[in-house]
Amino acid sequence: MTDPITRIAEALERLAPPPAPPADPLAHPAYVWRGHSLAAARAFAPLPLELLQGMEPQRDALLANLDRLAHGSAAQDVLLWGARGTGKSALVKSAVASVQAKGGNLALVEAVTQHLDALPELFALLAASARPFVIFLDDLGFDAAGDARALRSLLEGGAEARPANTRLIVTSNRRHLIPRDIAEQASAINPRDSVDDSLALADRFGLSLGFHAIDQDTYVHIVRGYADAHGLTFDPAEAINWATRRGSRSGRVAWQYVVDLAGRSGKSL
């Protein structure tokens, strides 16, 4: 007689829905990689690129790099680093959408950073496609240099480095992705070795774009761009006061103010 536990397990397997088939890598503008499955992004609707103000040099550099990738030319892996809320993630998605709108056969794959060990599986899947891909790792950071070594090998130098039709784009609040401690130079046998190990991952990115805290005029300019796009009027003094109470001036805070303004005006966004 079959063991009751086995029968229960088999019954549960019959009740469970089968796993969804992997998404066609040629059919969609954006995907999500959760570790072992490629799924089409449910709603890929980035902000229009012209609404992202105060980052024109970074925008132009990223767009040029993505355009080269989309047309089969040499392109760099990209690190976008800097102050929180300055539009790093928004720029990545908007830039990819802009290249797509101009006819570039480019797709975005957002990979969950908790599953970096599954990236070789993703690389193998995408390598079989003739389409170019941006693999997007958002808000990446490591607690120690050792944690980053696997990604270093995937970027450059490893036996299973990323394929030619893919490039990584990483956002981080840390310029070097790994926190640095002044004590590392005092405690290491060779201080330079310790510093080099901490910086080795950031050095793998051929294009590094910094995002810094914005001034008050730029903040108001960003608010005005959002407000005009949605038919809202605003008081610059009120917008500045909103940022002061939040303790931060950034594109994210500007958007949050506009959301509040729209809500008070009875409008949806």
Side-chain angles (χ1 to χ4, degrees):
M1 183 175 179
T2 307
D3 181 75
I5 299 299
T6 302
R7 294 203 308 272
I8 293 171
E10 291 174 348
L12 290 173
E13 288 180 2
R14 289 193 296 271
L15 290 173
D24 182 350
L26 300 177
H28 304 281
Y31 301 84
V32 177
W33 174 258
R34 294 189 175 90
H36 300 286
S37 174
L38 187 67
R42 289 192 297 271
F44 183 61
L47 288 170
L49 200 57
E50 60 270 16
L51 288 183
L52 301 180
Q53 303 291 326
M55 58 179 76
E56 286 75 15
Q58 299 94 324
R59 177 201 64 197
D60 293 346
L62 181 60
L63 276 174
N65 191 64
L66 292 180
D67 188 67
R68 289 192 287 268
L69 176 61
H71 291 90
S73 301
Q76 304 281 9
D77 298 297
V78 186
L79 173 63
L80 294 84
W81 59 271
R84 68 188 191 279
T86 48
K88 301 181 291 294
S89 301
L91 176 60
V92 172
K93 297 173 185 178
S94 295
V96 169
S98 177
V99 171
Q100 292 171 343
K102 295 175 182 176
N105 186 28
L106 181 68
L108 178 81
V109 179
E110 184 166 2
V112 178
T113 55
Q114 290 88 341
H115 299 296
L116 294 181
D117 58 337
L119 282 180
E121 184 180 342
L122 175 61
F123 290 161
L125 175 66
L126 300 182
S129 173
R131 188 180 192 183
F133 295 89
V134 165
I135 299 176
F136 179 38
L137 302 175
D138 191 25
D139 195 21
L140 185 64
F142 298 96
D143 293 328
D147 299 334
R149 291 190 183 113
L151 183 58
R152 279 160 44 184
S153 295
L154 292 173
L155 279 164
E156 180 184 325
E160 289 188 311
R162 52 122 179 87
N165 66 326
T166 67
R167 290 295 181 271
L168 268 74
I169 296 187
V170 170
T171 67
S172 176
N173 292 337
R174 302 169 181 164
R175 182 174 186 176
H176 302 299
L177 296 166
I178 300 166
R180 296 184 59 197
D181 191 334
I182 194 67
E184 70 186 1
Q185 300 189 42
S187 63
I189 295 174
N190 186 328
R192 184 65 199 177
D193 288 347
S194 179
V195 173
D196 284 347
D197 196 39
S198 295
L199 304 186
L201 177 56
D203 287 347
R204 293 293 202 277
F205 294 90
L207 181 58
S208 180
L209 303 174
F211 291 72
H212 307 285
I214 60 176
D215 60 26
Q216 183 168 287
D217 289 344
T218 302
Y219 166 76
V220 172
H221 182 62
I222 293 171
V223 171
R224 180 171 288 109
Y226 286 144
D228 289 349
H230 294 285
L232 297 167
T233 57
F234 77 102
D235 178 2
E238 182 188 61
I240 293 168
N241 181 260
W242 173 277
T244 300
R245 287 187 285 113
R246 294 297 302 271
S248 172
R249 286 192 301 261
S250 69
R252 178 181 297 154
V253 171
W255 175 249
Q256 290 168 346
Y257 167 73
V258 170
V259 169
D260 185 76
L261 182 66
R264 286 187 278 119
S265 302
K267 295 185 176 182
S268 61
L269 296 177

mmCIF file of all heavy atoms in Angstrom, residues 150-181:
data_model
loop_
_atom_site.group_PDB
_atom_site.id
_atom_site.type_symbol
_atom_site.label_atom_id
_atom_site.label_comp_id
_atom_site.label_asym_id
_atom_site.label_seq_id
_atom_site.Cartn_x
_atom_site.Cartn_y
_atom_site.Cartn_z
ATOM 1 N N ALA A 150 32.152 36.648 -8.000
ATOM 2 C CA ALA A 150 31.457 35.872 -9.039
ATOM 3 C C ALA A 150 30.965 36.791 -10.152
ATOM 4 O O ALA A 150 31.090 36.462 -11.337
ATOM 5 C CB ALA A 150 30.293 35.103 -8.428
ATOM 6 N N LEU A 151 30.415 37.956 -9.789
ATOM 7 C CA LEU A 151 29.944 38.889 -10.807
ATOM 8 C C LEU A 151 31.115 39.451 -11.595
ATOM 9 O O LEU A 151 31.007 39.668 -12.804
ATOM 10 C CB LEU A 151 29.145 40.019 -10.157
ATOM 11 C CG LEU A 151 28.535 41.045 -11.121
ATOM 12 C CD1 LEU A 151 27.615 40.374 -12.129
ATOM 13 C CD2 LEU A 151 27.769 42.117 -10.353
ATOM 14 N N ARG A 152 32.245 39.671 -10.952
ATOM 15 C CA ARG A 152 33.434 40.138 -11.669
ATOM 16 C C ARG A 152 33.811 39.167 -12.776
ATOM 17 O O ARG A 152 34.127 39.563 -13.905
ATOM 18 C CB ARG A 152 34.594 40.308 -10.699
ATOM 19 C CG ARG A 152 34.559 41.605 -9.929
ATOM 20 C CD ARG A 152 35.383 41.589 -8.674
ATOM 21 N NE ARG A 152 36.688 40.983 -8.800
ATOM 22 C CZ ARG A 152 37.536 40.810 -7.781
ATOM 23 N NH1 ARG A 152 37.165 41.216 -6.569
ATOM 24 N NH2 ARG A 152 38.711 40.271 -7.943
ATOM 25 N N SER A 153 33.773 37.889 -12.490
ATOM 26 C CA SER A 153 34.133 36.883 -13.492
ATOM 27 C C SER A 153 33.134 36.852 -14.640
ATOM 28 O O SER A 153 33.510 36.636 -15.792
ATOM 29 C CB SER A 153 34.216 35.498 -12.842
ATOM 30 O OG SER A 153 35.265 35.452 -11.900
ATOM 31 N N LEU A 154 31.856 37.079 -14.315
ATOM 32 C CA LEU A 154 30.845 37.073 -15.362
ATOM 33 C C LEU A 154 31.006 38.271 -16.298
ATOM 34 O O LEU A 154 30.724 38.186 -17.489
ATOM 35 C CB LEU A 154 29.448 37.094 -14.746
ATOM 36 C CG LEU A 154 29.032 35.822 -13.992
ATOM 37 C CD1 LEU A 154 27.709 36.051 -13.290
ATOM 38 C CD2 LEU A 154 28.941 34.638 -14.929
ATOM 39 N N LEU A 155 31.434 39.392 -15.744
ATOM 40 C CA LEU A 155 31.632 40.579 -16.563
ATOM 41 C C LEU A 155 32.846 40.452 -17.466
ATOM 42 O O LEU A 155 32.825 40.877 -18.617
ATOM 43 C CB LEU A 155 31.793 41.810 -15.662
ATOM 44 C CG LEU A 155 30.508 42.433 -15.132
ATOM 45 C CD1 LEU A 155 30.801 43.363 -13.982
ATOM 46 C CD2 LEU A 155 29.791 43.176 -16.246
ATOM 47 N N GLU A 156 33.900 39.882 -16.922
ATOM 48 C CA GLU A 156 35.153 39.871 -17.682
ATOM 49 C C GLU A 156 36.108 38.881 -17.045
ATOM 50 O O GLU A 156 36.337 38.894 -15.840
ATOM 51 C CB GLU A 156 35.778 41.269 -17.665
ATOM 52 C CG GLU A 156 37.081 41.401 -18.418
ATOM 53 C CD GLU A 156 37.669 42.795 -18.254
ATOM 54 O OE1 GLU A 156 36.890 43.763 -18.187
ATOM 55 O OE2 GLU A 156 38.894 42.897 -18.178
ATOM 56 N N GLY A 157 36.659 38.016 -17.858
ATOM 57 C CA GLY A 157 37.735 37.168 -17.379
ATOM 58 C C GLY A 157 37.355 35.766 -17.004
ATOM 59 O O GLY A 157 38.214 34.898 -16.891
ATOM 60 N N GLY A 158 36.066 35.477 -16.806
ATOM 61 C CA GLY A 158 35.672 34.138 -16.419
ATOM 62 C C GLY A 158 35.440 33.237 -17.610
ATOM 63 O O GLY A 158 35.306 33.680 -18.757
ATOM 64 N N ALA A 159 35.354 31.937 -17.337
ATOM 65 C CA ALA A 159 35.126 30.974 -18.409
ATOM 66 C C ALA A 159 33.722 31.107 -18.982
ATOM 67 O O ALA A 159 33.481 30.752 -20.136
ATOM 68 C CB ALA A 159 35.350 29.556 -17.886
ATOM 69 N N GLU A 160 32.769 31.609 -18.171
ATOM 70 C CA GLU A 160 31.396 31.769 -18.628
ATOM 71 C C GLU A 160 30.998 33.241 -18.559
ATOM 72 O O GLU A 160 29.995 33.614 -17.958
ATOM 73 C CB GLU A 160 30.447 30.928 -17.779
ATOM 74 C CG GLU A 160 30.577 29.437 -18.026
ATOM 75 C CD GLU A 160 29.500 28.644 -17.316
ATOM 76 O OE1 GLU A 160 29.294 28.870 -16.110
ATOM 77 O OE2 GLU A 160 28.869 27.809 -17.969
ATOM 78 N N ALA A 161 31.795 34.098 -19.162
ATOM 79 C CA ALA A 161 31.476 35.527 -19.191
ATOM 80 C C ALA A 161 30.215 35.757 -20.014
ATOM 81 O O ALA A 161 29.805 34.914 -20.809
ATOM 82 C CB ALA A 161 32.643 36.311 -19.766
ATOM 83 N N ARG A 162 29.611 36.911 -19.827
ATOM 84 C CA ARG A 162 28.360 37.186 -20.517
ATOM 85 C C ARG A 162 28.572 37.192 -22.035
ATOM 86 O O ARG A 162 29.620 37.598 -22.532
ATOM 87 C CB ARG A 162 27.782 38.501 -20.025
ATOM 88 C CG ARG A 162 28.793 39.652 -20.077
ATOM 89 C CD ARG A 162 28.304 40.762 -20.917
ATOM 90 N NE ARG A 162 29.250 41.844 -20.947
ATOM 91 C CZ ARG A 162 30.251 41.907 -21.816
ATOM 92 N NH1 ARG A 162 30.455 40.928 -22.669
ATOM 93 N NH2 ARG A 162 31.062 42.947 -21.828
ATOM 94 N N PRO A 163 27.562 36.748 -22.812
ATOM 95 C CA PRO A 163 27.702 36.656 -24.265
ATOM 96 C C PRO A 163 27.777 38.028 -24.923
ATOM 97 O O PRO A 163 27.453 39.051 -24.324
ATOM 98 C CB PRO A 163 26.446 35.891 -24.698
ATOM 99 C CG PRO A 163 25.466 36.088 -23.592
ATOM 100 C CD PRO A 163 26.276 36.218 -22.338
ATOM 101 N N ALA A 164 28.189 38.024 -26.199
ATOM 102 C CA ALA A 164 28.438 39.280 -26.905
ATOM 103 C C ALA A 164 27.173 40.093 -27.129
ATOM 104 O O ALA A 164 27.253 41.315 -27.290
ATOM 105 C CB ALA A 164 29.111 38.987 -28.248
ATOM 106 N N ASN A 165 26.008 39.459 -27.154
ATOM 107 C CA ASN A 165 24.769 40.203 -27.417
ATOM 108 C C ASN A 165 24.118 40.737 -26.148
ATOM 109 O O ASN A 165 22.984 41.223 -26.187
ATOM 110 C CB ASN A 165 23.769 39.329 -28.180
ATOM 111 C CG ASN A 165 23.286 38.147 -27.353
ATOM 112 O OD1 ASN A 165 24.042 37.593 -26.559
ATOM 113 N ND2 ASN A 165 22.031 37.756 -27.549
ATOM 114 N N THR A 166 24.795 40.648 -25.016
ATOM 115 C CA THR A 166 24.251 41.179 -23.766
ATOM 116 C C THR A 166 25.251 42.125 -23.116
ATOM 117 O O THR A 166 26.460 41.940 -23.222
ATOM 118 C CB THR A 166 23.911 40.062 -22.764
ATOM 119 O OG1 THR A 166 25.115 39.435 -22.327
ATOM 120 C CG2 THR A 166 22.986 39.029 -23.381
ATOM 121 N N ARG A 167 24.711 43.127 -22.439
ATOM 122 C CA ARG A 167 25.520 44.017 -21.618
ATOM 123 C C ARG A 167 24.795 44.237 -20.298
ATOM 124 O O ARG A 167 23.571 44.294 -20.264
ATOM 125 C CB ARG A 167 25.771 45.362 -22.310
ATOM 126 C CG ARG A 167 26.706 45.289 -23.502
ATOM 127 C CD ARG A 167 28.100 44.882 -23.072
ATOM 128 N NE ARG A 167 29.032 44.812 -24.183
ATOM 129 C CZ ARG A 167 29.254 43.739 -24.936
ATOM 130 N NH1 ARG A 167 28.564 42.630 -24.689
ATOM 131 N NH2 ARG A 167 30.122 43.752 -25.904
ATOM 132 N N LEU A 168 25.551 44.350 -19.237
ATOM 133 C CA LEU A 168 24.971 44.605 -17.925
ATOM 134 C C LEU A 168 24.893 46.101 -17.662
ATOM 135 O O LEU A 168 25.833 46.844 -17.960
ATOM 136 C CB LEU A 168 25.797 43.944 -16.819
ATOM 137 C CG LEU A 168 25.373 42.524 -16.415
ATOM 138 C CD1 LEU A 168 25.785 41.542 -17.490
ATOM 139 C CD2 LEU A 168 25.947 42.139 -15.078
ATOM 140 N N ILE A 169 23.762 46.521 -17.110
ATOM 141 C CA ILE A 169 23.608 47.880 -16.601
ATOM 142 C C ILE A 169 23.213 47.769 -15.136
ATOM 143 O O ILE A 169 22.206 47.149 -14.797
ATOM 144 C CB ILE A 169 22.563 48.678 -17.390
ATOM 145 C CG1 ILE A 169 23.030 48.864 -18.831
ATOM 146 C CG2 ILE A 169 22.318 50.029 -16.730
ATOM 147 C CD1 ILE A 169 22.138 49.778 -19.649
ATOM 148 N N VAL A 170 24.023 48.362 -14.278
ATOM 149 C CA VAL A 170 23.863 48.244 -12.831
ATOM 150 C C VAL A 170 23.655 49.623 -12.237
ATOM 151 O O VAL A 170 24.353 50.578 -12.604
ATOM 152 C CB VAL A 170 25.104 47.569 -12.215
ATOM 153 C CG1 VAL A 170 25.066 47.646 -10.690
ATOM 154 C CG2 VAL A 170 25.213 46.114 -12.669
ATOM 155 N N THR A 171 22.697 49.741 -11.315
ATOM 156 C CA THR A 171 22.560 50.968 -10.539
ATOM 157 C C THR A 171 22.940 50.684 -9.091
ATOM 158 O O THR A 171 22.702 49.588 -8.580
ATOM 159 C CB THR A 171 21.126 51.528 -10.585
ATOM 160 O OG1 THR A 171 20.237 50.640 -9.909
ATOM 161 C CG2 THR A 171 20.662 51.734 -12.011
ATOM 162 N N SER A 172 23.534 51.674 -8.462
ATOM 163 C CA SER A 172 23.961 51.516 -7.072
ATOM 164 C C SER A 172 24.104 52.879 -6.427
ATOM 165 O O SER A 172 24.463 53.858 -7.094
ATOM 166 C CB SER A 172 25.296 50.765 -7.014
ATOM 167 O OG SER A 172 25.772 50.682 -5.678
ATOM 168 N N ASN A 173 23.835 52.945 -5.139
ATOM 169 C CA ASN A 173 24.112 54.174 -4.397
ATOM 170 C C ASN A 173 25.590 54.318 -4.085
ATOM 171 O O ASN A 173 26.051 55.392 -3.694
ATOM 172 C CB ASN A 173 23.318 54.203 -3.091
ATOM 173 C CG ASN A 173 21.817 54.331 -3.330
ATOM 174 O OD1 ASN A 173 21.381 54.807 -4.375
ATOM 175 N ND2 ASN A 173 21.029 53.893 -2.371
ATOM 176 N N ARG A 174 26.351 53.229 -4.241
ATOM 177 C CA ARG A 174 27.782 53.241 -3.954
ATOM 178 C C ARG A 174 28.577 53.281 -5.253
ATOM 179 O O ARG A 174 28.330 52.491 -6.158
ATOM 180 C CB ARG A 174 28.187 51.987 -3.179
ATOM 181 C CG ARG A 174 27.465 51.780 -1.867
ATOM 182 C CD ARG A 174 27.757 50.387 -1.339
ATOM 183 N NE ARG A 174 27.072 50.107 -0.085
ATOM 184 C CZ ARG A 174 26.923 48.888 0.406
ATOM 185 N NH1 ARG A 174 27.422 47.848 -0.239
ATOM 186 N NH2 ARG A 174 26.284 48.708 1.551
ATOM 187 N N ARG A 175 29.551 54.158 -5.294
ATOM 188 C CA ARG A 175 30.358 54.277 -6.508
ATOM 189 C C ARG A 175 31.117 52.992 -6.805
ATOM 190 O O ARG A 175 31.301 52.623 -7.972
ATOM 191 C CB ARG A 175 31.339 55.444 -6.359
ATOM 192 C CG ARG A 175 32.193 55.665 -7.598
ATOM 193 C CD ARG A 175 33.047 56.902 -7.460
ATOM 194 N NE ARG A 175 33.758 57.208 -8.676
ATOM 195 C CZ ARG A 175 34.520 58.284 -8.863
ATOM 196 N NH1 ARG A 175 34.647 59.170 -7.880
ATOM 197 N NH2 ARG A 175 35.140 58.490 -10.012
ATOM 198 N N HIS A 176 31.594 52.312 -5.765
ATOM 199 C CA HIS A 176 32.407 51.119 -5.961
ATOM 200 C C HIS A 176 31.660 49.838 -5.624
ATOM 201 O O HIS A 176 32.276 48.770 -5.583
ATOM 202 C CB HIS A 176 33.692 51.214 -5.128
ATOM 203 C CG HIS A 176 34.511 52.420 -5.462
ATOM 204 N ND1 HIS A 176 35.023 52.638 -6.718
ATOM 205 C CD2 HIS A 176 34.875 53.497 -4.718
ATOM 206 C CE1 HIS A 176 35.695 53.785 -6.720
ATOM 207 N NE2 HIS A 176 35.606 54.323 -5.523
ATOM 208 N N LEU A 177 30.341 49.943 -5.362
ATOM 209 C CA LEU A 177 29.466 48.799 -5.112
ATOM 210 C C LEU A 177 29.733 48.095 -3.791
ATOM 211 O O LEU A 177 28.894 47.355 -3.289
ATOM 212 C CB LEU A 177 29.556 47.761 -6.245
ATOM 213 C CG LEU A 177 29.084 48.245 -7.608
ATOM 214 C CD1 LEU A 177 29.528 47.279 -8.695
ATOM 215 C CD2 LEU A 177 27.569 48.387 -7.627
ATOM 216 N N ILE A 178 30.906 48.304 -3.201
ATOM 217 C CA ILE A 178 31.305 47.633 -1.971
ATOM 218 C C ILE A 178 31.668 48.707 -0.949
ATOM 219 O O ILE A 178 32.413 49.639 -1.266
ATOM 220 C CB ILE A 178 32.516 46.715 -2.209
ATOM 221 C CG1 ILE A 178 32.166 45.657 -3.259
ATOM 222 C CG2 ILE A 178 32.978 46.054 -0.921
ATOM 223 C CD1 ILE A 178 33.367 44.929 -3.805
ATOM 224 N N PRO A 179 31.167 48.633 0.276
ATOM 225 C CA PRO A 179 31.537 49.641 1.283
ATOM 226 C C PRO A 179 33.017 49.559 1.606
ATOM 227 O O PRO A 179 33.586 48.475 1.708
ATOM 228 C CB PRO A 179 30.671 49.270 2.492
ATOM 229 C CG PRO A 179 30.350 47.827 2.311
ATOM 230 C CD PRO A 179 30.267 47.604 0.831
ATOM 231 N N ARG A 180 33.627 50.716 1.765
ATOM 232 C CA ARG A 180 35.047 50.754 2.079
ATOM 233 C C ARG A 180 35.248 51.315 3.479
ATOM 234 O O ARG A 180 34.573 52.243 3.904
ATOM 235 C CB ARG A 180 35.798 51.605 1.053
ATOM 236 C CG ARG A 180 35.762 51.024 -0.358
ATOM 237 C CD ARG A 180 36.595 51.847 -1.310
ATOM 238 N NE ARG A 180 37.979 51.894 -0.853
ATOM 239 C CZ ARG A 180 38.863 52.790 -1.290
ATOM 240 N NH1 ARG A 180 38.507 53.708 -2.153
ATOM 241 N NH2 ARG A 180 40.107 52.775 -0.848
ATOM 242 N N ASP A 181 36.196 50.737 4.163
ATOM 243 C CA ASP A 181 36.479 51.100 5.555
ATOM 244 C C ASP A 181 37.923 51.563 5.624
ATOM 245 O O ASP A 181 38.826 50.916 5.090
ATOM 246 C CB ASP A 181 36.274 49.867 6.447
ATOM 247 C CG ASP A 181 36.295 50.221 7.931
ATOM 248 O OD1 ASP A 181 36.936 51.234 8.291
ATOM 249 O OD2 ASP A 181 35.692 49.474 8.712
#
